[in-house]
Amino acid sequence: PEAVYQGMIGVSRILAKLLDEVTDGSGLALDPELESFYLMSATMVQAPEVIQNTIEVRGLVRGVLKAGVILPVEQARLAGHLAVIEHDAEHAQQALEKVQRASKVYGSKLTMGAPNAVAAFVKDVRTIVPPGSVTLTGDSAAFVKNANALIDGQFNQVEKNLSVLETMLLDRIAGLRTQMWILVVSTALCLLVTMFFFMGFYQQMAA
């Protein structure tokens, strides 16, 4: 039913907003490490924007195909969503490529397939709904099926790359703990050496 469909779109908007808040609260936007910063940017900033705008396009194109007509205001909305999709998909791809250059270990584990599917989807939308068109003919069910396949692929890529980000951060925490213990041991040794020399000096002064 249409009410359920619109409700699902509303839920996706709420989840997208929640993800924005989680990203801002994580502090990863200020991460000084290039590989984790760019991976965070691709998976937690650009990818959600691509997914959310793909969902918006799916609903909009489904509606106009069922109606058989598209209004100028709907054409403008569609053009805006497609522009955001192309922009953020390109930036996400660039960010992932920077991760690969910064770290061969983590870069080799990344999933990179979504941008090609996104480009094909945008091209398909512009074919189904040509810019400037008024009347439309097309299979709304087939379009929704293709859009759902793209959205599933995007979620799958984000899930896998978030797993890489989690591994990256856990490895960094382990490294920081190791550095902390090295610092503690080094400090303790320095204090022991200082005390040894101090005691020797004190004994000489007492003698």
Side-chain angles (χ1 to χ4, degrees), residues 28-104:
L28 287 173
L30 303 175
D31 194 338
E33 299 292 335
L34 288 180
E35 60 266 28
S36 52
F37 170 78
Y38 284 119
L39 185 50
M40 177 281 302
S41 180
T43 57
M44 300 178 69
V45 178
Q46 274 100 28
E49 283 294 319
V50 173
I51 292 171
Q52 180 57 39
N53 279 275
T54 302
I55 292 172
E56 298 288 346
V57 168
R58 179 186 63 182
L60 178 56
V61 174
R62 172 181 176 270
V64 297
L65 285 178
K66 291 183 71 174
V69 63
I70 184 169
L71 302 176
V73 65
E74 292 171 326
Q75 279 278 14
R77 282 175 53 205
L78 180 60
H81 288 310
L82 293 179
V84 172
I85 290 172
E86 289 181 310
H87 176 271
D88 283 317
E90 180 181 359
H91 279 71
Q93 179 70 9
Q94 291 173 353
L96 292 176
E97 290 172 354
K98 289 179 180 179
V99 176
Q100 289 182 321
R101 290 195 294 269
S103 173
K104 292 183 179 179

Side-chain angles (χ1 to χ4, degrees), residues 17-35:
K17 183 178 180 181
L18 178 60
L19 180 58
D20 286 341
E21 294 176 357
V22 171
T23 302
D24 293 340
S26 70
L28 287 173
L30 303 175
D31 194 338
E33 299 292 335
L34 288 180
E35 60 266 28

Side-chain angles (χ1 to χ4, degrees), residues 96 107-115 153 156-158 160-161 164:
L96 292 176
S108 63
K109 300 177 181 179
L110 296 177
T111 302
M112 305 278 288
N156 183 57
Q157 175 167 311
V158 168
K160 290 181 177 179
N161 289 341
V164 177

Side-chain angles (χ1 to χ4, degrees), residues 158-175:
V158 168
E159 181 181 6
K160 290 181 177 179
N161 289 341
L162 280 176
S163 179
V164 177
L165 178 60
E166 180 184 23
T167 301
M168 188 183 295
L169 295 176
L170 289 174
D171 289 346
R172 186 187 303 174
I173 290 172

